[in-house]
Amino acid sequence: MTFTLDRRFFLTLAGAGTGAAALAACGGPSTTPGAATATAADIDFSGVKPAASIDFWSNHPGKSQDVEKSIIEKFHAKYPDIKVNLVTAGANYEEIAQKFQTAQAAKSGLPSLVVLSDVWWFRYYLNESIISIDSLVKQLDINLADFRTSLVDDYKYAGKQWALPYGRSTPLFYYNKDHFAAAGLPDRAPATWQEFAGWAPKLKAASGTQYAFMHPALAGYAGWTLQNNLWGEGGSWSKGWDITCDSAESVAALQAAQDSVYKDAWAGVSSKESADDFAAGLASATLSSTGSLIGILKSAKFNVGVGFLPGGSKEKTGVCPTGGAGLGIPSGVTKEEQLAAAMFLQFMTEPENTAAFSAATGYMPTRTSADMTTVLAQTPQIKIAMDQLAVTRVQDNARAFLPGADQEMAKAAAKILTQQGDVKATMTELKATLEGIYTKDVKPKLKA
């Protein structure tokens, strides 16, 4: 599998290729065509009156329910003839995906606007479950040029715009400043995981905690955060479409992670949410989304430090992935609902509101004109997240584009980090699984 292409080109091919059934997944929503209406052609909204009521499905990323409600109240003040009903559609992106797929199959109960995650949203396109928003962007005069290019372009392919960025994030390194000071360590994130491994015994001794570091919950986004460990050692889940999770470099990176739990015994593995474990003082450091920042700062009874993700022995920078979610409009609802949803989508992503959302959660401000002065004065740590965006790396194809791969990566990580499974054997097994997904579900879409 030596064929390579970048993310944008893959998505263009996915849009231009044959039937969506070829991308059926190992888990999550299927990609067989449903009851969706036209998505390839722009919908004509001339003469359409916006619906009086719409449902907005969210999992409230970054514990954002309160700020979402606040923005909705402001929207109601500006557009009193449109009521937005905020619906908790799941506790995470996967639960929203399942609920959305169920509604598609039932041909009823669809939302007018829905949160789309980084590894699920393109399936909705393939499934013809969402519409391109180009005609709505033109009609409502939405200023796409003011969005951060790298974030808005993630939802462009086949020459069209399919969503707008919403809760966009990177992982951050969170650390307990008090523990670091007690251990006589510098007040910063470690430059590399090797440096942190040297710090770990001092942190355990000085803090009295069981763990110097808490690995993120594997059932959540192990495939996302472990890219950092892999890249730092010159490894990866994949390079282009070559699956490389069993390479010597990848195995070495994951062996080091396993050693941190078992052999060296300075790390634990969160059973639910590492950000909560860290804020509760159960560990001196962790990795978690920028979207966890405000929650951690509010919950922690100690001084919280944040920094860039550590590098490894091979790569010291460019070891941080982006992630998060956007907002899209389903194809199976009326034009009236789609127009009202687009009006609310425009409002949600206006500079003032994206700044408010960032202030409440720690997610990236998606608009370049968003005035972050007040936000940064109150929460200067957000600046670290904004700065790290400049040194992020596009996610490995295997994680972002192979249907069901994220779940398979989580299973493999669980074997390694919670069952002390043989790293090489586990990665060899994972490679076979990922290559099977590629060969069956993705390769038929690609043209050399």
Side-chain angles (χ1 to χ4, degrees):
M1 290 188 299
T2 58
F3 184 91
T4 59
L5 75 170
D6 66 22
R7 185 168 194 256
R8 307 290 190 279
F9 187 49
F10 166 70
L11 293 174
T12 300
L13 284 175
T18 57
L23 285 175
C26 295
S30 70
T31 52
T32 52
T37 54
T39 57
D42 289 336
I43 300 172
D44 182 5
F45 287 92
S46 58
V48 175
K49 180 181 179 180
S53 178
I54 60 171
D55 289 344
F56 167 40
W57 281 12
S58 178
N59 64 307
H60 321 303
K63 300 179 180 179
S64 58
Q65 188 168 9
D66 288 343
V67 70
E68 287 175 337
K69 288 179 177 178
S70 175
I71 294 173
I72 288 171
E73 288 175 1
K74 291 194 295 182
F75 179 81
H76 287 161
K78 184 174 182 179
Y79 298 103
D81 294 332
I82 303 175
K83 177 176 174 53
V84 176
N85 304 301
L86 179 61
V87 177
T88 301
N92 52 47
Y93 298 138
E94 286 70 26
E95 290 185 8
I96 285 187
Q98 296 290 350
K99 186 178 178 69
F100 187 51
Q101 180 69 11
T102 299
Q104 286 286 334
K107 302 180 183 180
S108 66
L110 286 166
S112 306
L113 189 69
V114 62
V115 170
L116 316 170
S117 87
D118 55 345
V119 298
W120 294 93
W121 76 274
F122 78 92
R123 303 186 207 190
Y124 301 147
Y125 162 74
L126 294 171
N127 210 19
E128 298 186 348
S129 298
I130 56 175
I131 64 169
S132 69
I133 61 173
D134 297 89
S135 60
L136 290 164
V137 166
K138 183 177 181 180
Q139 181 165 325
L140 299 176
D141 195 25
I142 298 175
N143 185 11
L144 293 184
D146 187 48
F147 283 83
R148 295 182 184 274
T149 302
S150 63
L151 301 184
V152 75
D153 281 358
D154 278 342
Y155 307 99
K156 284 182 179 175
Y157 61 95
K160 297 183 181 299
Q161 188 78 38
W162 298 90
L164 291 181
Y166 180 51
R168 294 305 307 273
S169 62
T170 65
L172 280 175
F173 184 89
Y174 293 86
Y175 64 97
N176 185 319
K177 284 174 169 275
D178 299 342
H179 287 183
F180 273 50
L185 298 174
D187 183 12
R188 62 171 174 82
T192 64
W193 284 111
Q194 287 76 16
E195 182 176 44
F196 187 77
W199 292 356
K202 298 177 182 178
L203 282 168
K204 288 185 65 177
S207 67
T209 58
Q210 183 177 359
Y211 302 120
F213 181 80
M214 188 68 76
H215 288 284
L218 305 178
Y221 303 102
W224 185 47
T225 57
L226 283 174
Q227 287 174 115
N228 162 249
N229 304 73
L230 293 168
W231 294 343
E233 297 308 311
S236 56
W237 295 123
S238 63
K239 292 186 183 299
W241 289 113
D242 286 332
I243 305 302
T244 55
C245 61
D246 69 334
S247 69
E249 295 82 1
S250 298
V251 169
L254 295 174
Q255 185 64 61
Q258 184 185 74
D259 289 347
S260 72
V261 177
Y262 292 100
K263 179 183 176 182
D264 302 320
W266 50 259
V269 181
S270 179
S271 61
K272 190 173 183 180
E273 176 52 67
S274 66
D276 293 341
D277 293 340
F278 169 73
L282 302 181
S284 298
T286 194
L287 294 190
S288 192
S289 167
T290 55
S292 300
L293 176 59
I294 303 303
I296 288 175
L297 293 176
K298 289 180 178 179
S299 300
K301 306 301 182 184
F302 52 84
N303 294 311
V304 177
V306 297
F308 286 14
L309 298 198
S313 64
K314 302 288 181 62
E315 299 288 342
K316 304 296 191 296
T317 187
V319 292
C320 180
T322 57
L327 296 174
I329 299 174
S331 58
V333 298
T334 67
K335 285 185 179 182
E336 289 77 10
E337 291 177 79
Q338 290 168 346
L339 177 57
M343 293 170 66
F344 178 58
L345 172 58
Q346 178 184 34
F347 189 82
M348 281 287 287
T349 55
E350 285 181 354
E352 178 183 350
N353 292 325
T354 193
F357 188 81
S358 181
T361 62
Y363 278 110
M364 302 289 181
T366 59
R367 299 289 290 267
T368 59
S369 64
D371 184 356
M372 298 293 289
T373 305
T374 301
V375 174
L376 293 177
Q378 296 174 345
T379 314
Q381 295 92 337
I382 292 177
K383 183 67 162 52
I384 299 295
M386 294 171 64
D387 290 345
Q388 188 174 225
L389 187 61
V391 290
T392 54
R393 184 189 297 192
V394 174
Q395 293 193 60
D396 292 340
N397 284 8
R399 199 261 168 171
F401 300 133
L402 296 185
D406 202 37
Q407 295 94 322
E408 297 299 332
M409 292 168 182
K411 291 176 187 176
K415 286 183 182 180
I416 292 169
L417 297 179
T418 65
Q419 301 167 32
Q420 204 172 358
D422 181 87
V423 178
K424 177 64 175 178
T426 302
M427 287 298 100
T428 298
E429 181 181 1
L430 177 62
K431 178 178 181 176
T433 299
L434 298 182
E435 286 186 337
I437 295 172
Y438 170 84
T439 301
K440 178 178 180 292
D441 300 334
V442 175
K443 188 177 180 180
K445 289 282 187 179
L446 303 179
K447 297 178 180 179

